[in-house]
Amino acid sequence: MSKPIITGILSYGMSGRIFHAPFVSTNPNFKFKAVVERHEKKAAARYPEVISYNSVDELLADNEIELVIVNTPNNTHFDLTIKALNAGKHVLVEKPAAATGAEVKQMFDLARKVNRHLMVYHNRRWDSGFQLTKQVIESGRLGQLIEVTFRMDRFKRAISPKAFKETASTPANGVVYDLGSHLIDNAISLFGRPLSFTKTTGVYRNGSEVADYFNYHLKYPNQLNVYLTAGLLLAEALPGFVVQGTQGVFSKERGDVQETQLDKGMLPTDTGYGWEPEGIDGKLVIMDLENKRREELLKAPKGDYTDLFNDVYHTIRNNALYPVTEEHIAWQLELLEA
């Protein structure tokens, strides 16, 4: 067995505490060595053995660290990824990887030049609801697909205190880059690059400078239509996954529990982690040749972001192809930038 990957995290805010530290600290394929905390030193309460550096430069100067997780504000992803690659580190960068396709190309070109792996953190591929939806689509039970809808509905009137999300002059702002990157990645991971697309955005919150609603209509071969929607003033969450085919329909609410569990201190190694509660199964309706309706309830598989980190490990140690490919990110940025 190869040695664990020595890892540093560039921020210990919400994403560091919930989406990264629990995984690199419990997975034997990693060693969580250091974190950057510029102001409050909170990581030591849970990870007393982890070094808390005062700056990114200090962490990048640590020659033992092999992998750097860039989980800072969206508008810093490009600069910090370039800096980490030039310091000889492998990089796992949160979505959106950058604000433009040109920046993404520059990042991956540099990774090749310095012989390091650049990977983008798209955890929603490992959500329980998406995993079940993928299984149903790949089973072929729905026949020819007609319409697929993925959505994330929120209701948040207040302007977020995170200025990088809410300021028009800041790159990669608004709900398009925030939630849109998740939904676009879900679609691309299943269906690839669309033949064409239409993008609609809107601003509905009082005082908002940035888009707080979007809809994408993606057109694919064989008359497949994919719709991606998210907004911050959508009062009731509709099913997050709906797949219509010539032989039936599948629908499922977004029931993944990982973020909630991790926020409450549960670890990915704990019993019950990633399993949805009873009562939010997916519903599959199949119409037979006599137009009789047959309904099934389908329990979602376990959601587990551990699988993402295992893919990171195999990419670095075994040169395996990371499932979120450079092409996926390039295609995503085409839609985000439009």
Side-chain angles (χ1 to χ4, degrees):
M1 183 175 179
S2 299
K3 64 177 182 177
I5 297 169
I6 312 301
T7 303
I9 302 176
L10 293 193
S11 172
Y12 194 71
M14 187 273 279
S15 73
R17 179 176 61 84
I18 292 177
F19 294 118
H20 301 292
F23 296 91
V24 297
S25 65
T26 60
N27 190 325
N29 290 325
F30 297 86
K31 178 185 176 183
F32 180 19
K33 182 181 180 184
V35 65
V36 176
E37 295 179 288
R38 293 174 181 81
H39 307 294
E40 296 180 85
K41 301 289 186 178
K42 295 182 177 180
R46 185 149 195 176
Y47 306 103
E49 73 287 355
V50 169
I51 300 169
S52 178
Y53 286 117
N54 295 315
S55 70
V56 170
D57 288 343
E58 288 179 3
L59 186 144
L60 295 181
D62 187 327
N63 291 326
E64 191 179 19
I65 291 176
E66 303 169 77
L67 170 66
V68 168
I69 297 176
V70 178
N71 61 324
T72 51
N74 295 353
N75 58 305
T76 67
H77 289 178
F78 172 73
D79 288 339
L80 291 178
T81 296
I82 293 294
K83 199 169 192 176
L85 289 170
N86 279 323
K89 314 298 186 185
H90 302 288
V91 175
L92 176 64
V93 58
E94 285 196 338
K95 62 80 194 171
T100 69
E103 289 179 342
V104 163
K105 184 179 186 305
Q106 187 176 339
M107 291 158 68
F108 279 100
D109 285 348
L110 177 60
R112 278 186 288 273
K113 180 180 178 181
V114 299
N115 195 29
R116 291 295 180 267
H117 291 286
L118 170 59
M119 299 152 286
V120 182
Y121 178 86
H122 265 297
N123 59 319
R124 296 298 180 184
R125 292 194 188 192
W126 287 269
D127 278 357
S128 53
F130 179 72
Q131 287 290 315
L132 179 59
T133 303
K134 181 180 179 182
Q135 289 177 9
V136 171
I137 289 172
E138 292 178 346
S139 74
R141 297 182 68 189
L142 295 174
Q144 180 182 347
L145 299 185
I146 300 170
E147 178 183 296
V148 174
T149 301
F150 296 154
R151 60 187 303 133
M152 290 181 167
D153 299 331
R154 304 282 190 271
F155 195 83
K156 299 178 179 178
R157 281 200 182 98
I159 303 299
S160 171
K162 296 181 178 179
F164 70 90
K165 291 185 178 183
E166 299 282 9
T167 305
S169 60
T170 301
N173 62 52
V175 75
V176 174
Y177 277 87
D178 187 21
L179 301 181
S181 55
H182 283 311
L183 296 177
I184 292 169
D185 180 70
N186 278 176
I188 285 174
S189 72
L190 290 173
F191 307 116
R193 186 184 192 180
L195 297 173
S196 63
F197 67 90
T198 303
K199 176 184 180 181
T200 302
T201 61
V203 182
Y204 296 95
R205 297 169 302 159
N206 290 333
S208 180
E209 296 182 15
V210 300
D212 50 29
Y213 167 86
F214 70 80
N215 174 268
Y216 282 93
H217 175 195
L218 314 182
K219 292 187 177 182
Y220 284 94
N222 301 316
Q223 303 182 82
L224 170 60
N225 297 281
V226 176
Y227 296 93
L228 312 175
T229 298
L232 300 181
L233 284 181
L234 304 176
E236 182 169 355
L238 300 176
F241 309 95
V242 179
V243 184
Q244 300 271 7
T246 55
Q247 295 174 191
V249 58
F250 170 78
S251 61
K252 172 80 174 70
E253 68 178 84
R254 288 192 170 270
D256 192 87
V257 295
Q258 293 181 81
E259 181 174 344
T260 300
Q261 291 176 332
L262 293 163
D263 193 24
K264 292 179 178 178
M266 181 180 277
L267 294 174
T269 50
D270 289 346
T271 301
Y273 175 80
W275 290 104
E276 293 184 4
E278 299 295 325
I280 54 173
D281 296 340
K283 184 169 75 172
L284 177 67
V285 175
I286 299 295
M287 306 297 288
D288 68 17
L289 294 177
E290 298 177 349
N291 291 336
K292 291 182 179 178
R293 173 189 177 101
R294 186 174 76 253
E295 186 175 307
E296 297 178 34
L297 295 179
L298 304 179
K299 183 174 178 59
K302 178 182 180 180
D304 198 347
Y305 303 149
T306 300
D307 292 336
L308 181 156
F309 284 90
N310 287 335
D311 284 331
V312 169
Y313 172 81
H314 289 298
T315 297
I316 293 174
R317 287 288 183 254
N318 304 318
N319 208 33
L321 179 65
Y322 185 66
V324 185
T325 68
E326 178 180 354
E327 289 76 16
H328 291 169
I329 300 304
W331 299 340
Q332 178 188 131
L333 263 295
E334 286 182 26
L335 274 69
L336 292 176
E337 276 192 272

